[in-house]
Amino acid sequence: MLYFLAKAIMWPATQVFFRRMVISGAEHIPKNKPVILIANHSASFLDAIVVGLLIRRPMYFLARSDVFKPRAKKYMKGVHMIPIYNAEHSKEDLSRNMETFAEGEEVLRQKKILMIFPEGISRRERILLPLKKGTARIAFHTVSTHGFDIGLEVIPVGINYSFHRFRASVVVSVGDSTAIADYKTMYEENPAKAINVLTRELQEKFSNTVLYVDQAERTDLINQLLEYFRNDAIHRSDYRKKDLVIREEKSIADDVSEMDDDTASDVTESVFRYTHKLSNLRLNDRSIIHRYHSIFFHFFGLILGLPVTLCGAATGIVPVLLAKYIADKKVKRIDWYTSVSCVLGGMLFDIWFILLLIVSAFVQQWWFFIAVLLSPLTIYLAIQWWEAFKIFTAHARYLFLRNAKPQVIKDLEDLRNEFSFWRTNKNLRRRLFR
């Protein structure tokens, strides 16, 4: 019950927090079979929330034991969390992992989904660590106990955030499944070999779902390059073909990994000089690459949307700003920032919404009650309006500079071309500026 209540609370919160939240390859997850999902871990507990919202089947999650505080343990169990113990947090409790594995096996015996984060701790760097053998051992131990015929499958999931911040995007890529029954003969003949071969297969399939670079220090570079690449080559309609988006973005990440140090240094300098100049001039990249063409339509849309925006701001902006303030002040690790601000924002908005409903009962004004009732929608539209307003004003400044200081715009265009290496890709050029 608590699991589904949490999903009901977090769905609207994530829709406001993220600009775009989509899943690719969901059809790879069977409807009536036991499944182990393995996923990368880059945004703390928000990773489990995002996947849990995008996959309809109920899921259970292996989570670090140190978050199971005495007062929170009941609630953690209620949202399908299962504690996993390691030496870093408590060597004395390592023996309790037998209980954890038994609980996980019971989940799979009931043909449910068990989600594992093999990397253990979350981190913001876009790198992919070698897959450990734990997933394979759990899978084989389950089928050796309950039979290979239960139909257990292991499926990799890549959770790819554009940035760790408010109004970022997240694309969840579900990879090809691996049927553990295919390893029955090998496991019966040589269990160690089966574990090693399965781990290598999972590693290969896992790598196809995650946007990563081989060098951790190039994380900021690939994040910024991907943002500019999306402006150039990815259109809204492309997200209907989500596997296409992932494939093209992975090609950019691969190109960055293959750069030698001197080339990477030059590209990094160009990218961040360009980003810094855009920020100082308060311009938008889409204006520079001539991908903004609807200023008059945009203007009238802003005028028409202003009343709804004011209503949304009046009834719902307080919990949004409060969540951002607390996250800015209290959260030090950036990989935790999205988790705390998103979950806190959802909880504070629910409390605020209930308080406004109570106030409306005393005010007894129908218009106030309607405004409160519509506040989840109007705050969402208000945030959309504010983003559109910033883009509109940035393009207005671009038009002014293009006429008053054309050399400034020319320098920006030249700098943009310096690092946009994807424009030389023949397969992508036909998609640019369409």
Side-chain angles (χ1 to χ4, degrees):
M1 180 65 181
L2 186 59
Y3 176 81
F4 295 102
L5 177 61
K7 288 186 72 169
I9 292 173
M10 290 312 304
W11 177 257
T14 54
Q15 296 305 299
V16 171
F17 188 87
F18 290 110
R19 178 175 285 110
R20 184 178 291 107
M21 190 170 76
V22 296
I23 184 169
S24 167
E27 67 277 4
H28 295 154
I29 300 176
K31 294 182 180 180
N32 299 304
K33 290 183 178 182
V35 173
I36 296 176
L37 295 182
I38 54 172
N40 60 312
H41 205 14
S42 59
S44 187
F45 51 88
L46 188 59
D47 293 333
I49 292 172
V50 167
V51 177
L53 289 173
L54 290 175
I55 294 176
R56 293 183 179 181
R57 290 182 60 185
M59 301 171 57
Y60 290 77
F61 311 90
L62 292 186
R64 288 167 42 177
S65 61
D66 58 317
V67 302
F68 285 75
K69 306 300 182 184
R71 293 183 180 180
K73 186 175 182 179
K74 180 179 178 181
Y75 301 102
M76 300 296 285
K77 289 284 187 178
V79 292
H80 295 180
M81 296 290 184
I82 302 173
I84 185 77
Y85 302 90
N86 59 48
E88 179 185 352
H89 301 119
S90 178
K91 292 182 179 179
E92 293 77 12
D93 287 335
L94 282 177
S95 60
R96 298 181 64 184
N97 276 333
M98 296 305 296
E99 301 173 19
T100 295
F101 297 146
E103 191 171 349
E105 287 183 15
E106 180 60 21
V107 167
L108 296 172
R109 187 189 68 79
Q110 296 176 15
K111 298 187 182 299
K112 297 178 181 179
I113 295 180
L114 179 66
M115 188 169 187
I116 301 174
F117 297 100
E119 295 169 318
I121 60 172
S122 67
R123 65 184 190 286
R124 64 174 294 271
E125 291 83 8
R126 282 191 186 273
I127 56 175
L128 191 65
L129 299 177
L131 199 62
K132 297 180 180 179
K133 299 177 183 178
T135 301
R137 289 195 175 104
I138 291 174
F140 282 125
H141 192 276
T142 299
V143 294
S144 63
T145 303
H146 301 287
F148 280 85
D149 57 353
I150 66 171
L152 177 61
E153 296 185 10
V154 182
I155 304 176
V157 175
I159 309 171
N160 302 294
Y161 300 91
S162 58
F163 286 95
H164 288 282
R165 68 186 184 200
F166 184 60
R167 302 302 289 166
S169 297
V170 56
V171 177
V172 173
S173 176
V174 181
D176 295 328
S177 65
T178 298
I180 301 304
D182 294 344
Y183 284 83
K184 181 179 180 180
T185 302
M186 184 184 298
Y187 183 75
E188 290 174 344
E189 294 176 352
N190 190 333
K193 179 181 178 181
I195 289 173
N196 289 331
V197 174
L198 175 59
T199 300
R200 286 196 296 270
E201 179 181 344
L202 294 178
Q203 179 77 49
E204 182 179 354
K205 291 181 177 180
F206 194 24
S207 67
N208 292 329
T209 67
V210 181
L211 290 175
Y212 69 95
V213 288
D214 295 334
Q215 306 85 356
E217 64 275 11
R218 297 183 187 180
T219 294
D220 291 334
L221 173 61
I222 187 58
N223 286 343
Q224 198 64 65
L225 281 174
L226 285 173
E227 181 175 20
Y228 293 140
F229 169 72
R230 294 179 190 116
N231 290 342
D232 252 348
I234 304 298
H235 299 252
R236 289 185 179 181
S237 60
D238 291 332
Y239 282 94
R240 299 172 187 171
K241 304 174 183 177
K242 300 140 192 171
D243 57 335
L244 172 68
V245 173
I246 289 291
R247 194 162 59 247
E248 292 188 350
E249 291 184 350
K250 279 190 67 64
S251 71
I252 301 300
D254 291 342
D255 288 341
V256 172
S257 292
E258 292 169 3
M259 290 178 181
D260 58 52
D261 290 342
D262 290 339
T263 301
S265 178
D266 291 341
V267 172
T268 300
E269 182 181 355
S270 298
V271 166
F272 290 105
R273 271 200 300 135
Y274 176 75
T275 303
H276 182 68
K277 286 187 175 183
L278 278 185
S279 177
N280 285 344
L281 294 169
R282 291 180 296 165
L283 297 177
N284 186 277
D285 177 60
R286 285 184 172 269
S287 296
I288 304 301
I289 61 174
H290 310 295
R291 288 288 299 277
Y292 184 102
H293 305 295
S294 54
I295 188 167
F296 293 108
F297 176 79
H298 212 153
F299 174 76
F300 287 114
L302 289 172
I303 296 298
L304 293 173
L306 184 58
V308 175
T309 298
L310 294 175
C311 180
T315 57
I317 200 65
V318 170
V320 174
L321 294 179
L322 182 58
K324 184 179 185 304
Y325 174 80
I326 294 174
D328 288 345
K329 290 290 184 180
K330 299 296 183 180
V331 181
K332 304 302 180 184
R333 286 178 50 178
I334 193 169
D335 56 322
W336 278 75
Y337 183 86
T338 46
S339 296
V340 173
S341 52
C342 180
V343 173
L344 187 61
M347 295 173 60
L348 289 176
F349 185 86
D350 288 339
I351 295 171
W352 179 256
F353 183 68
I354 292 171
L355 290 175
L356 287 181
L357 285 177
I358 295 172
V359 170
S360 68
F362 286 99
V363 173
Q364 294 185 347
Q365 295 288 334
W366 67 268
W367 58 267
F368 184 76
F369 177 74
I370 295 297
V372 172
L373 206 60
L374 293 177
S375 60
L377 174 62
T378 55
I379 188 60
Y380 173 75
L381 295 175
I383 291 172
Q384 297 274 11
W385 186 93
W386 179 246
E387 290 184 329
F389 176 75
K390 290 192 294 184
I391 294 173
F392 174 82
T393 54
H395 191 68
R397 282 190 291 272
Y398 164 81
L399 294 176
F400 170 77
L401 287 174
R402 191 178 66 179
N403 291 302
K405 299 179 179 180
Q407 189 58 44
V408 171
I409 300 301
K410 178 65 166 56
D411 291 343
L412 281 171
E413 291 174 345
D414 291 342
L415 191 54
R416 179 63 155 81
N417 288 328
E418 282 185 18
F419 61 79
S420 301
F421 55 84
W422 50 84
R423 295 186 176 188
T424 61
N425 187 317
K426 293 181 180 180
N427 293 325
L428 291 178
R429 283 190 61 83
R430 59 185 178 82
R431 294 164 51 78
L432 302 177
F433 309 114
R434 70 182 181 186

